[in-house]
Amino acid sequence: MSEPSEATPVAQATDVPTRDKTSEQMFDELNKIPFFMQSLDEAGDEAEENLELEALKAMAYEGEPHEIAQNFREHGNECFKQKQYKEAIEYYTKAIAQKCGHTDIEIACYSNRAGCNLIFGNYRKVLDDCAQVLKRDPKHVKAYYRSAKALIVLKRLDEAEKCLDVCKSGNADDPAIVLLEKELITKKKQQEKLLAEKARREQSEALRRDALTNALKQRSIRVVASEESPDMGDAKLHLEVPEDASSELFFPTILLYPLESQSDFVPALSEHSTAQDLLNTVFETPAEWDTSAEYRPNVVDAFIQTSTGGLVKVGKRVPILKVLQHPKVVVMDGIIQLIVVPKNKTAEWLATRKTQA
């Protein structure tokens, strides 16, 4: 399905010396002669003083609208032949702007401009131009063909298939249509595979969400989401077996040391662990900032905040699950926050905190 060529050269150049000149050099020389210029609007500074050129510019808009439109159309076709697609688009656009009322001219310009836009990958413009063609000629095969090509790239495959069905009516053996149909079939298979994979992922994610929701409900643990949940990377509240609500539950956990303006992060704390287990792990290696050695498992107190801003002291040998089941405890964003203070400073810290509340 080759591109249409509706224009014939206006004139042939004669007596142009060709010896020792490349085709590109010859084209440049011809383009300096007003009659052969490809773009009257971009002729350059020299052309501004060329009366013949100014006359040609004026002539481009002389005559009836359909004559002017036809002239621009022919210029566009010549540019198309020479693969000057940008210039061709400009000429077709000027022809269309004449609103000449001649359907054949308008169809040709919209259709050929769609062909240029297809080359540039302006697929939505292709669809717009093809729609204008089909508005004037509902059986225009090339408009359906170009629409199908654009729709395939835009992944609107069902629409592309409908356009190709029209193309195939009476043109089923056209090599271009056969090739495009093969491409469409391949794209549809790829799309179906992707959609199936997406459906499986969504189903799996739904099962995991339901299992986690049920696990929290069965354990009487309240989890509340804040307006802006912190980014914890891969660390998140999860079940050991994501689809099994009865499997072990793990929480990302932050230990806060308010008297030192320090903190520690544990990516996954088991619901069966105790505060003692957690502190033993965290303080196995003394912290660099703990120069007085005040932060050791047996000489600190741990607290968890309640939903009203109060504090609940955490028994060191009580499983974390029991702590989270306290009626006043909520887990913000699925993250446990434990406040750790040296025992010898707990009373003073609580008093200060109460004063500041």
Side-chain angles (χ1 to χ4, degrees), residues 215-341:
L216 295 170
K217 186 176 180 181
Q218 291 168 10
R219 292 163 171 80
S220 299
I221 298 174
R222 291 185 298 160
V223 174
V224 178
S226 60
E227 291 185 4
E228 293 186 12
S229 299
D231 182 9
M232 307 300 289
D234 294 333
K236 60 182 178 180
L237 171 60
H238 68 278
L239 287 161
E240 184 178 24
V241 180
E243 293 83 10
D244 184 1
S246 64
S247 64
E248 192 171 4
L249 197 58
F250 291 86
F251 295 83
T253 302
I254 298 174
L255 287 87
L256 301 172
Y257 313 110
L259 296 180
E260 311 297 335
S261 299
Q262 298 288 343
S263 65
D264 279 313
F265 177 65
V266 177
L269 177 66
S270 167
E271 61 182 323
H272 303 309
S273 296
T274 64
Q276 186 74 45
D277 296 331
L278 177 62
L279 294 171
N280 286 341
T281 300
V282 173
F283 296 140
E284 183 176 5
T285 301
E288 292 182 3
W289 47 264
D290 183 19
T291 56
S292 301
E294 293 182 307
Y295 289 84
R296 289 171 292 163
N298 296 325
V299 295
V300 295
D301 286 327
F303 300 87
I304 191 167
Q305 192 164 303
T306 67
S307 56
T308 57
L311 293 174
V312 172
K313 188 173 181 179
V314 178
K316 291 182 182 177
R317 300 195 181 280
V318 177
I320 291 297
L321 174 59
K322 292 293 184 182
V323 177
L324 300 182
Q325 288 174 334
H326 189 286
K328 290 186 178 181
V329 170
V330 296
V331 183
M332 292 298 298
D333 300 312
I335 304 166
I336 296 174
Q337 291 193 29
L338 292 180
I339 301 171
V340 180
V341 180

Side-chain angles (χ1 to χ4, degrees), residues 46-57:
E46 294 180 3
E48 292 181 4
E49 299 177 2
N50 192 319
L51 296 179
E52 183 180 3
L53 177 61
E54 294 303 317
L56 286 172
K57 283 186 178 181

Side-chain angles (χ1 to χ4, degrees), residues 77-198:
N77 289 345
E78 286 301 311
C79 288
F80 195 103
K81 287 179 183 178
Q82 297 173 29
K83 298 184 178 181
Q84 296 174 326
Y85 302 116
K86 182 179 178 181
E87 291 80 1
I89 287 176
E90 293 176 1
Y91 280 122
Y92 292 136
T93 300
K94 288 179 179 180
I96 292 167
Q98 300 308 307
K99 299 181 180 180
C100 66
H102 280 235
T103 304
D104 58 335
I105 296 176
E106 292 177 343
I107 287 176
C109 290
Y110 276 119
S111 178
N112 293 352
R113 190 171 72 175
C116 295
N117 277 315
L118 195 59
I119 291 168
F120 287 126
N122 300 326
Y123 300 112
R124 299 193 186 280
K125 291 183 179 180
V126 172
L127 295 178
D128 290 341
D129 282 343
C130 288
Q132 291 296 329
V133 173
L134 295 172
K135 182 178 178 181
R136 293 161 174 79
D137 179 6
K139 297 182 179 180
H140 199 281
V141 174
K142 186 156 285 189
Y144 281 110
Y145 173 80
R146 287 176 175 149
S147 294
K149 292 198 73 170
L151 289 165
I152 287 174
V153 178
L154 295 172
K155 299 181 181 179
R156 294 161 58 178
L157 303 185
D158 289 340
E159 295 172 77
E161 187 173 24
K162 291 178 181 178
C163 289
L164 264 182
D165 286 342
V166 177
C167 293
K168 288 161 58 180
S169 179
N171 300 277
D173 296 330
D174 186 298
I177 293 175
V178 171
L179 187 63
L180 189 60
E181 185 177 27
K182 288 181 179 178
E183 181 183 351
L184 175 61
I185 292 171
T186 300
K187 294 289 186 183
K188 289 201 76 172
K189 287 181 179 178
Q190 293 173 348
Q191 188 181 68
E192 289 168 0
K193 183 179 179 181
L194 290 173
L195 290 174
E197 290 175 354
K198 181 181 178 182

